[in-house]
Amino acid sequence: MALAFDEYGRPFIIIKEQEQKSRLRGLDAQKANINAGKAVARILRTSLGPKGMDKMLQSPDGDVTITNDGATILEQMDVDNQIAKLMVELSRSQDYEIGDGTTGVVVMAGALLEQAEKLLECGIHPIRIAEGYEMASRIAFEHLERISQKFDFNKTNVDPLVQTCMTTLSSKIVNRCKQTLAEIAVKAVLAVADLERKDVNLDLIKVEGKVGGKLEDTELIHGIVVDKDMSHPQMPKRIEDAKIAILTCPFEPPKPKTKHKVDIDTVEKFQTLRQQEQKYFDDMVQKCKDVGATLVICQWGFDDEANHLLMHRNLPAVRWVGGVELELIAIATGGRIVPRFQELTPEKLGRAGLVREKSFGTTKDRMLYIEQCANSRAVTIFIRGGNKMMIEETKRSLHDALCVARNLIRNNSIVYGGGSVEISCSIAVEAAADRYPGVEQYAIRSFAEALDAIPMALAENIGLQPIEALSVVKSQHIKEKNPFCGIDCNDIGTNNMQEQNVFETLIGKQQQILLATQVVKMILKIDDVISPSDY
């Protein structure tokens, strides 16, 4: 410490190393990290399960999102702490890989951290805890393989797929229409799936939404819906057996790209220029008619004069269609996207059985339906709902359901939901702990205890006594050796998830356990946190 004086003779004290970084070491660092992870898990815990609560998130510019999808909540939350950011990335990786189970994976990681904190207080070294968790996760992973069941499905028997999608949707706000939406999701996935290669391209499924109507009006369209209408109000609203020219070049006379300007000083010159432009455009329209096009879909716009001429020559057109939609239209109709007029040939036209314009309610909203396409590999799910937030949340819920259906086509193993697999894994891990002589067995037992956090959270969110509900189901598991008993979330009166048809995908559950363990190991290995000083 030193005393100094400023230019006015006022004394002030200089403290040495004041600018040094703040720093947490050893156990303090681990506890601070664990608390950050637990805080994130605590937020998501109440969103788990069919009776889980929703969260309302307001962005800095005032947009409001209401959701209970774990990945979305964490994505939009303003997180400063680095460890909390790891949890955000954890749910994001579950979302990218599996698409469902984003809330469960964070709750699981939070429970593991909570157990690790108790072990650290007992004086067990963090590396030994991390190794114990790793062993336990392998035991749980293999146990899941053993209790999983395979089911066969084909295009005629899609019931198991629908049941699994319904389990996913039952925890969302759309659960009153879960049967309808699950069927739509499964039909959409099967329409674009390649069952021999066990591959599904979800990009071919377009999810559109429009405010108005009710959730039950949601429909699956074997074709494409474009949020545009015909460029001229008097063009036909319904075209059967349409041949579609898909253009990415501007549908209007070219603008001079030079820096020179054209001086027009007489009326005659203006008339000549105008006729030139009109002739140029007439040739364009004629070119489209010559190759046999009955509808033009253009990525760019055209002015009113061009529009009038199109109307005059009976060539319906749609303008300002986005690039992604153009690709989907090209895939669905079997057409080719044409970048230059000179390249337009009859082979490049897309074919659709019916193109119709549909208006909604009393509003001027219109959309274009392109149906009965030559290649039905591209489909659209069209959602209706009471307000924008409802539609956005339905889109997120359907994304989860589509991912689940895709995962089942890739790997048709299922496990039972309602917390039954976690309880079953917990019992298996607990039993296996005795085989390990070292300190790791404490960590393995803690892992078993952490697995119980998911059924506990489910019971808590329904309003049951969590410990009582869990012990009843656990004793039933051990007595009957039945791995299908879970928490009766829907209050049906039976704990058997097989009877309740509550399924989850095996790869989703395995991924949850592996990802949660990896992140917790990573957090436990941090023993020194150096953060820059705040200025």
Side-chain angles (χ1 to χ4, degrees), residues 176-239:
R176 65 189 172 89
C177 302
K178 62 183 179 186
Q179 176 89 39
T180 325
L181 290 174
E183 282 168 10
I184 285 175
V186 169
K187 280 179 191 161
V189 167
L190 286 176
V192 302
D194 185 340
L195 290 177
E196 276 146 36
R197 282 178 45 224
K198 292 195 168 185
D199 188 37
V200 181
N201 181 2
L202 286 184
D203 291 341
L204 294 176
I205 301 173
K206 185 174 175 230
V207 184
E208 270 286 341
K210 198 123 192 106
V211 174
K214 51 187 188 296
L215 201 54
E216 283 85 351
D217 296 339
T218 299
E219 55 182 339
L220 176 70
I221 294 140
H222 288 280
I224 301 294
V225 175
V226 187
D227 197 357
K228 295 277 178 271
D229 50 3
M230 295 294 186
S231 60
H232 196 290
Q234 287 172 323
M235 283 177 181
K237 302 277 182 270
R238 184 185 176 90
I239 305 165

Side-chain angles (χ1 to χ4, degrees), residues 377-396:
R377 288 291 302 278
V379 294
T380 305
I381 298 174
F382 186 53
I383 300 167
R384 305 301 307 278
N387 57 27
K388 186 162 160 273
M389 285 168 212
M390 187 74 191
I391 286 172
E392 291 303 315
E393 178 62 357
T394 309
K395 279 185 185 176
R396 283 189 285 269

Side-chain angles (χ1 to χ4, degrees), residues 313-346:
R313 303 299 281 301
N314 289 330
L315 184 62
V318 185
R319 55 185 166 186
W320 299 121
V321 178
V324 180
E325 287 164 334
L326 275 184
E327 280 179 34
L328 285 171
I329 292 169
I331 292 167
T333 58
R336 299 286 292 277
I337 295 174
V338 181
R340 274 197 214 92
F341 263 97
Q342 293 78 358
E343 294 176 13
L344 195 59
T345 58

Side-chain angles (χ1 to χ4, degrees), residues 6 24-25 36 39 58 61 79 83 91 105 146 160-161 169 183 334 357 367 378 380 385 471 477 494 524-526:
D6 63 7
L24 287 168
R25 296 185 192 184
Q58 189 171 6
D61 52 0
V79 179
I83 299 296
S91 81
V105 71
R146 281 198 297 278
L161 281 176
L169 290 171
E183 282 168 10
E357 202 180 89
M367 288 180 101
T380 305
S471 46
H477 260 264
T494 168
L524 285 175
K525 284 187 171 180
I526 300 168

Side-chain angles (χ1 to χ4, degrees), residues 140-157:
F141 189 90
E142 285 156 16
H143 182 69
L144 280 172
E145 288 277 355
R146 281 198 297 278
I147 61 170
S148 67
Q149 296 190 344
K150 285 207 179 305
F151 64 76
D152 295 315
F153 61 87
N154 47 37
K155 291 219 169 187
T156 48
N157 172 31

Side-chain angles (χ1 to χ4, degrees), residues 20-320:
Q20 255 197 356
K21 296 171 173 153
S22 63
R23 165 166 200 180
L24 287 168
R25 296 185 192 184
L27 205 55
D28 287 344
Q30 274 140 357
K31 284 197 174 165
N33 294 343
I34 286 173
N35 283 332
K38 273 163 50 183
V40 174
R42 209 174 299 125
I43 293 168
L44 287 195
R45 196 183 162 93
T46 52
S47 292
L48 194 69
K51 301 284 191 287
M53 296 293 188
D54 289 4
K55 306 278 178 261
M56 189 181 207
L57 302 148
Q58 189 171 6
S59 69
D61 52 0
D63 285 348
V64 173
T65 309
I66 298 173
T67 179
N68 74 355
D69 177 45
T72 312
I73 294 170
L74 292 180
E75 197 88 3
Q76 303 207 0
M77 241 166 50
D78 195 12
V79 179
D80 278 343
N81 187 294
Q82 296 309 318
I83 299 296
K85 281 182 182 163
L86 283 180
M87 298 297 251
V88 175
E89 282 172 20
L90 165 69
S91 81
R92 194 183 298 155
S93 56
Q94 175 83 7
D95 197 29
Y96 286 168
E97 195 61 32
I98 304 294
D100 184 35
T102 48
T103 314
V105 71
V106 178
V107 174
M108 175 83 207
L112 286 171
L113 286 172
E114 205 167 315
Q115 293 299 328
E117 191 174 21
K118 291 177 190 169
L119 294 175
L120 285 171
E121 279 169 0
C122 297
I124 298 175
H125 194 278
I127 294 296
R128 305 301 292 271
I129 300 173
E131 282 170 3
Y133 277 180
E134 185 63 38
M135 292 169 186
S137 72
R138 276 203 297 274
I139 299 164
F141 189 90
E142 285 156 16
H143 182 69
L144 280 172
E145 288 277 355
R146 281 198 297 278
I147 61 170
S148 67
Q149 296 190 344
K150 285 207 179 305
F151 64 76
D152 295 315
F153 61 87
N154 47 37
K155 291 219 169 187
T156 48
N157 172 31
V158 293
D159 200 40
L161 281 176
V162 174
Q163 293 288 359
T164 317
C165 286
M166 276 168 66
T167 305
T168 301
L169 290 171
S170 62
S171 67
K172 310 284 182 211
I173 201 166
V174 295
N175 58 4
R176 65 189 172 89
C177 302
K178 62 183 179 186
Q179 176 89 39
T180 325
L181 290 174
E183 282 168 10
I184 285 175
V186 169
K187 280 179 191 161
V189 167
L190 286 176
V192 302
D194 185 340
L195 290 177
E196 276 146 36
R197 282 178 45 224
K198 292 195 168 185
D199 188 37
V200 181
N201 181 2
L202 286 184
D203 291 341
L204 294 176
I205 301 173
K206 185 174 175 230
V207 184
E208 270 286 341
K210 198 123 192 106
V211 174
K214 51 187 188 296
L215 201 54
E216 283 85 351
D217 296 339
T218 299
E219 55 182 339
L220 176 70
I221 294 140
H222 288 280
I224 301 294
V225 175
V226 187
D227 197 357
K228 295 277 178 271
D229 50 3
M230 295 294 186
S231 60
H232 196 290
Q234 287 172 323
M235 283 177 181
K237 302 277 182 270
R238 184 185 176 90
I239 305 165
E240 287 182 12
D241 196 21
K243 293 183 178 59
I244 305 170
I246 305 166
L247 305 175
T248 55
C249 45
F251 204 5
E252 53 189 8
K255 309 269 185 290
K257 286 191 174 65
T258 59
K259 293 275 169 62
H260 307 296
K261 63 179 194 291
V262 182
D263 282 332
I264 297 173
D265 46 11
T266 63
V267 176
E268 287 76 23
K269 280 186 186 171
F270 181 71
Q271 290 288 11
T272 325
L273 183 73
R274 196 171 160 282
Q275 277 164 2
Q276 249 341 94
E277 283 197 342
Q278 193 164 337
K279 180 178 180 307
Y280 188 90
F281 190 73
D282 265 347
D283 291 348
M284 279 178 155
V285 177
Q286 197 53 49
K287 175 85 175 146
C288 292
K289 300 212 68 144
D290 289 346
V291 294
T294 55
L295 172 67
V296 175
I297 292 180
C298 187
Q299 187 173 13
W300 305 104
F302 29 83
D303 53 23
D304 289 344
E305 189 176 352
N307 209 354
H308 167 73
L309 283 166
L310 282 168
M311 168 66 213
H312 212 65
R313 303 299 281 301
N314 289 330
L315 184 62
V318 185
R319 55 185 166 186
W320 299 121

